[in-house]
Amino acid sequence: MIIDFKMLGKEDKPVLDKFFHARYYENSHLNFTNFYMWRTPYHIQWKVEDDVLYMINEDGVLASLQPFCEPEKWPEATKKILAFFEEQGRPVYLMGLEKDYAAYLQGEGQSLAAFDVKDDRDNADYVYLAEKLITLSGRKLHSKKNHLNAFHKLYPQAEYLPITNDLIPACRKELESWYAMRSEDLQNDPFIGYERAAIHEVFDNYEAFQLKGGVIRIDGRVVAFTFGEALNTDTAVIHVEKADPNVRGAYPAINQGFVEHAWSNMTYINREEDMGLPGLRKAKESYKPEKMIEKFNATVKGGINCN
């Protein structure tokens, strides 16, 4: 077998951390927590060979991520990926590629195969300046500032607290309340159910995963919570954010409070993609991103030349 992949487990965090921290990656998916949360529906597997981390997933379509290693190893690592697809008798599909590796496939990589590389707008990450999310200053964010001010006026007793083990039961309770309001969505979209289970698993391993999180509490009740981690040297990624939609301003409050208390030392905040959902796209664009992190997918047209 070309690459002997194995399923991802929580004991694999140190290995993945080593590779994802070795270079400056901007893709919000490229961290252990993200892969662990979605390992079940996407059947995420990994293997390290010759100091290269290979990862695949399958959701009806077999896909490989880019090889995680120094760029000088890309040619040999890409050959291995191509050989793996050939061995499986499956069409080559690489997904979630960062810009530099996509450029390699479009250039030097053409000597290995006729890669067809396409931009994946629906999965581009929204990245904001941390300072702007904290201050909400300027005309473009005026409406967000108004919502936050309204929240503080309505709920002067509201408090921001970092997530600790003693607050996790209250977070779980708010999580179940959030999903109860979306019971119809749970029936129609299995991935919402996967997300629910994944968040509970993160809470099961919260300290081990070395995350930062925060809650908004009003009169002893958690009405919003969030958690994330450092993605690279100057960017934090927000994995999850949930709030009671019936509490006006709860979302702006947890968004602003978390960045202010946990990530004021970071330049950027990556709030992940919109998945092509119109409502989510409108919400993420309303915070006026500083930049978008492009992601690319690649297929192969014609044969493979790995000799």
Side-chain angles (χ1 to χ4, degrees), residues 40-71:
T40 299
Y42 288 103
H43 306 288
I44 293 171
Q45 300 179 58
W46 69 280
K47 180 69 174 181
V48 173
E49 291 187 359
D50 301 323
D51 205 29
V52 178
L53 171 63
Y54 299 92
M55 298 192 75
I56 59 170
N57 64 73
E58 186 162 10
D59 173 28
V61 176
L62 179 64
S64 171
L65 279 74
Q66 69 188 71
F68 300 103
C69 55
E70 293 302 315

Side-chain angles (χ1 to χ4, degrees), residues 1 11 15 69 79 117 185 297:
M1 183 173 286
E11 69 279 2
V15 180
C69 55
K79 285 182 184 180
V117 180
D185 294 339
N297 301 327

Side-chain angles (χ1 to χ4, degrees), residues 36-304:
Y36 186 78
M37 287 180 68
W38 295 101
R39 74 194 187 286
T40 299
Y42 288 103
H43 306 288
I44 293 171
Q45 300 179 58
W46 69 280
K47 180 69 174 181
V48 173
E49 291 187 359
D50 301 323
D51 205 29
V52 178
L53 171 63
Y54 299 92
M55 298 192 75
I56 59 170
N57 64 73
E58 186 162 10
D59 173 28
V61 176
L62 179 64
S64 171
L65 279 74
Q66 69 188 71
F68 300 103
C69 55
E70 293 302 315
E72 57 265 25
K73 288 180 174 283
W74 284 347
E76 284 303 314
T78 304
K79 285 182 184 180
K80 275 197 172 185
I81 291 171
L82 292 171
F84 169 76
F85 278 99
E86 277 200 316
E87 181 192 54
Q88 299 298 311
R90 306 282 287 275
V92 177
Y93 180 50
L94 291 89
M95 64 176 292
L97 310 178
E98 292 218 317
K99 184 182 290 187
D100 55 355
Y101 184 72
Y104 160 75
L105 294 183
Q106 290 176 305
E108 184 183 342
Q110 293 293 312
S111 64
L112 303 177
F115 288 103
D116 181 25
V117 180
K118 293 184 178 178
D119 174 70
D120 185 2
R121 171 62 182 86
D122 289 349
N123 283 299
D125 289 331
Y126 291 76
V127 176
Y128 309 84
L129 284 173
E131 181 183 5
K132 286 189 176 181
L133 292 184
I134 293 170
T135 63
L136 297 176
S137 59
R139 181 177 56 82
K140 291 181 178 180
L141 294 173
H142 184 67
S143 64
K144 301 296 182 185
K145 186 79 167 183
N146 284 344
H147 284 301
L148 185 61
N149 289 339
F151 172 83
H152 289 304
K153 186 174 181 179
L154 286 167
Y155 308 103
Q157 74 276 37
E159 55 184 342
Y160 173 91
L161 297 166
I163 289 181
T164 53
N165 280 336
D166 61 325
L167 281 172
I168 285 177
C171 291
R172 293 185 193 272
K173 186 176 180 180
E174 172 57 25
L175 178 67
E176 290 305 306
S177 174
W178 192 91
Y179 281 107
M181 287 185 272
R182 290 159 179 78
S183 57
E184 185 176 336
D185 294 339
L186 280 169
Q187 295 173 2
N188 298 330
D189 185 353
F191 283 92
I192 293 180
Y194 283 126
E195 181 194 48
R196 177 186 188 180
I199 294 171
H200 279 300
E201 279 196 313
V202 169
F203 284 144
D204 290 339
N205 300 280
Y206 187 75
E207 287 190 346
F209 286 2
Q210 301 172 319
L211 302 171
K212 288 186 179 183
V215 307
I216 297 293
R217 192 166 66 178
I218 300 174
D219 298 330
R221 179 196 158 206
V222 168
V223 299
F225 71 84
T226 184
F227 58 77
E229 63 187 293
L231 178 64
N232 53 49
T233 54
D234 62 12
T235 307
V237 58
I238 310 301
H239 291 307
V240 167
E241 182 182 271
K242 301 294 182 192
D244 184 341
N246 297 316
V247 177
R248 182 185 174 187
Y251 272 109
I254 191 61
N255 186 332
Q256 188 269 347
F258 187 42
V259 178
E260 180 179 23
H261 288 89
W263 303 115
S264 61
N265 62 321
M266 289 292 191
T267 303
Y268 300 110
I269 304 296
N270 185 318
R271 294 184 57 82
E272 302 188 340
E273 66 282 289
D274 62 36
M275 299 176 289
L277 300 174
L280 195 53
R281 179 165 296 187
K282 182 179 179 181
K284 289 182 183 286
E285 288 179 342
S286 72
Y287 270 95
K288 309 305 177 186
E290 183 71 11
K291 60 181 177 178
M292 303 291 292
I293 303 303
E294 296 175 291
K295 300 175 193 174
F296 300 85
N297 301 327
T299 56
V300 169
K301 292 184 175 179
I304 295 172

